[in-house]
Amino acid sequence: MSANASTARNNAHPSLDDRDIVFIDGVRTPFGKAGEKGIYHGTRADDLAVKAVRGLLERNPEVPAEKIDEISIAATTQSGDQGLTLGRTVGLLSGIPKSVPGFAIDRMCAGAMTAVTATAGGIAFGAYDVVIAGGVEHMGNHPMGAGADPNPRFLSERIVDPQALNMGNTAENLHDRFPQITKERADRYAVSSQAKLAKAYENQQIQADLIPVAAKRPGDGWAVNTVDEPPRPETSMESLAQLRTPFRAHGHVTAGNAAGLNDGATAALLASGAAVRELGLAPKMRMVSFAFAGVEPDVMGYGPVPATEKALAKAGLGIEDIGLFEINEAFAVQVLSFLDYYGIDQDDPRVNRYGGAIAVGHPLASSGVRLMSQLARQFSEDHSVRYGITTMCIGLGMGGTIIWENPNHADFGSKA
């Protein structure tokens, strides 16, 4: 950094310290349905990640590629076209200088979120100034759990309930724990998610962060994909009532009130406060705090609650200070258990304004950055909100939460 950039505060961004962690931009590919009928059936996972990274750099020409200090790309199944140290291979395939290192990371659904927090820690420490962090999941090429070999001690020593190894069962367990969260409530939440996403598309609030992807499906030829494939805007309470409950007879969880199996990639650009000034970057969010927490694996969907409690305590904030919530919708019951804990109505306008994973899809390790991109765009639209959170449940009983500050708020950066 130059001498001017090493000054803790200056007139360009007086509220940013040198080691502040700033979200500059986030993009994603359109999400597809996993399987032979999906738009990415003939596409490699690493090529999806390359598309996201290249699109991110093209949108931010003020960041020279040689200034990037690290690339972290997450994937849950790290084999085949999702293996070979993705951060490094994606960097090489994206045309980023060979001097820029990279690594892969796995925290299941919170892969991209962890890629962000891991590199953010490097920024705060002074090891990095500019990083790329994201995730990819091609669930068509790599079905959930494919090739996994859970240690038999999990079951023989009763370390983990057998149902904890199936995410749908853990969602049914949450319904058992919280009987007030009925199937009717879960279905109503799912209908709302679909409707909110459709409205966001209508208002051009989604398309701006999508990177078009040309893909060839066997037998169908090439097509340029510019919108998400999973949404079902026609979803109604009546149609959801007809769906079977595959995880339990007469259960609550269906394909309609849960996220689907999807393919897609995300990428985010993070920078230090010093780099923001040196390169003339425009901050979209500042990271305030983050936390991960564990819960019983058989109710893994409850993980966002203790993670949020930890993140709020670290930030010295209360839930009443949070003006926007981006909650990953792995299952409707998981979101509702979080909202009920904090006494927030499921129709509260602060919650998932653009809809969520039930509508748009959840390509596991990529989803964390989607939450961030959507929150950043809402910050740009609503300057009255100072703080927002991105939070998600994580397989085997964990949760992760990041608290962000809106640079458009009048009190941005105030330590009072």
Side-chain angles (χ1 to χ4, degrees):
M1 292 291 111
S2 66
N4 286 339
S6 65
T7 303
R9 301 178 186 277
N10 68 11
N11 291 331
H13 291 286
S15 56
L16 286 178
D17 291 335
D18 274 3
R19 292 295 112 203
D20 274 342
I21 301 134
V22 181
F23 182 93
I24 301 300
D25 198 12
V27 301
R28 64 180 178 88
T29 68
F31 288 170
K33 296 179 180 179
E36 294 183 0
K37 296 182 180 181
I39 56 177
Y40 299 131
H41 178 57
T43 303
R44 290 177 60 97
D46 48 12
D47 283 337
L48 285 177
V50 168
K51 285 288 188 182
V53 169
R54 282 181 174 172
L56 180 70
L57 291 176
E58 288 171 3
R59 280 177 36 141
N60 295 275
E62 65 275 25
V63 179
E66 64 271 15
K67 284 283 190 180
I68 298 167
D69 294 307
E70 189 70 271
I71 304 171
S72 177
I73 302 295
T76 303
T77 303
Q78 295 192 11
S79 64
D81 57 338
Q82 286 185 180
L84 201 60
T85 313
L86 270 173
R88 177 60 170 168
T89 59
V90 167
L92 294 173
L93 291 167
S94 300
I96 293 171
K98 295 180 176 64
S99 58
V100 178
F103 64 97
I105 201 163
D106 169 29
R107 202 198 295 259
M108 296 190 177
C109 299
M113 176 179 280
T114 305
V116 167
T117 57
T119 51
I123 291 173
F125 186 76
Y128 309 141
D129 277 297
V130 181
V131 301
I132 290 175
V136 62
E137 208 75 51
H138 198 305
M139 299 178 76
N141 291 355
H142 305 279
M144 190 186 306
D149 181 18
N151 194 300
R153 291 181 52 229
F154 276 163
L155 304 185
S156 65
E157 298 179 18
R158 299 184 180 180
I159 296 171
V160 171
D161 187 289
Q163 294 194 47
L165 301 180
N166 182 296
M167 298 303 101
N169 288 339
T170 69
E172 290 285 8
N173 291 344
L174 266 187
H175 276 287
D176 292 343
R177 179 171 289 196
F178 302 110
Q180 73 274 19
I181 305 178
T182 61
K183 182 178 182 297
E184 187 275 336
R185 280 188 65 192
D187 285 352
R188 184 161 61 86
Y189 182 88
V191 170
S192 175
S193 181
Q194 295 282 355
K196 287 190 286 188
L197 178 66
K199 183 178 180 181
Y201 256 105
E202 182 181 343
N203 293 335
Q204 300 293 310
Q205 293 163 312
I206 301 295
Q207 297 91 321
D209 295 326
L210 300 182
I211 302 300
V213 176
K216 184 178 182 180
R217 289 196 298 179
D220 290 342
W222 288 90
V224 177
N225 301 291
T226 59
V227 298
D228 296 302
E229 185 180 24
R232 302 180 300 275
E234 72 284 358
T235 298
S236 66
M237 292 293 290
E238 292 73 24
S239 64
L240 292 185
Q242 304 304 312
L243 298 178
R244 66 188 186 93
T245 57
F247 305 107
R248 183 185 297 176
H250 310 294
H252 300 76
V253 180
T254 71
N257 59 34
L261 305 179
N262 306 108
D263 308 328
T266 60
L269 185 66
L270 305 176
S272 67
V276 165
R277 288 188 287 273
E278 182 187 19
L279 300 175
L281 306 178
K284 290 185 176 179
M285 302 192 293
R286 182 182 74 88
M287 186 181 291
V288 178
S289 72
F290 71 85
F292 293 90
V295 295
E296 299 96 327
D298 62 317
V299 285
M300 69 94 195
Y302 201 61
V305 170
T308 299
E309 289 291 277
K310 287 177 69 174
L312 289 169
K314 290 176 183 293
L317 298 172
I319 198 67
E320 68 278 0
D321 295 307
I322 305 303
L324 286 169
F325 296 84
E326 275 295 321
I327 308 169
N328 193 46
E329 297 171 355
F331 301 93
V333 64
Q334 165 250 315
V335 180
L336 294 172
S337 66
F338 178 92
L339 297 178
D340 282 4
Y341 177 85
Y342 286 110
I344 300 171
D345 188 83
Q346 68 184 72
D347 297 317
D348 192 302
R350 297 174 296 168
V351 176
N352 290 10
R353 286 184 176 179
Y354 298 169
I358 288 173
V360 78
H362 176 29
L364 300 184
S366 71
S367 287
V369 166
R370 178 190 66 80
L371 301 176
M372 298 170 202
S373 297
Q374 292 194 182
L375 179 62
R377 189 157 295 280
Q378 291 167 58
F379 275 170
S380 72
E381 295 172 347
D382 191 345
H383 297 185
S384 70
V385 174
R386 183 173 182 183
Y387 298 111
I389 67 170
T390 54
T391 187
M392 58 200 317
C393 62
I394 310 166
L396 288 182
M398 294 181 284
T401 297
I402 306 178
I403 299 177
W404 302 91
E405 186 179 17
N406 186 353
N408 304 294
H409 191 273
D411 296 326
F412 174 66
S414 170
K415 305 300 189 288

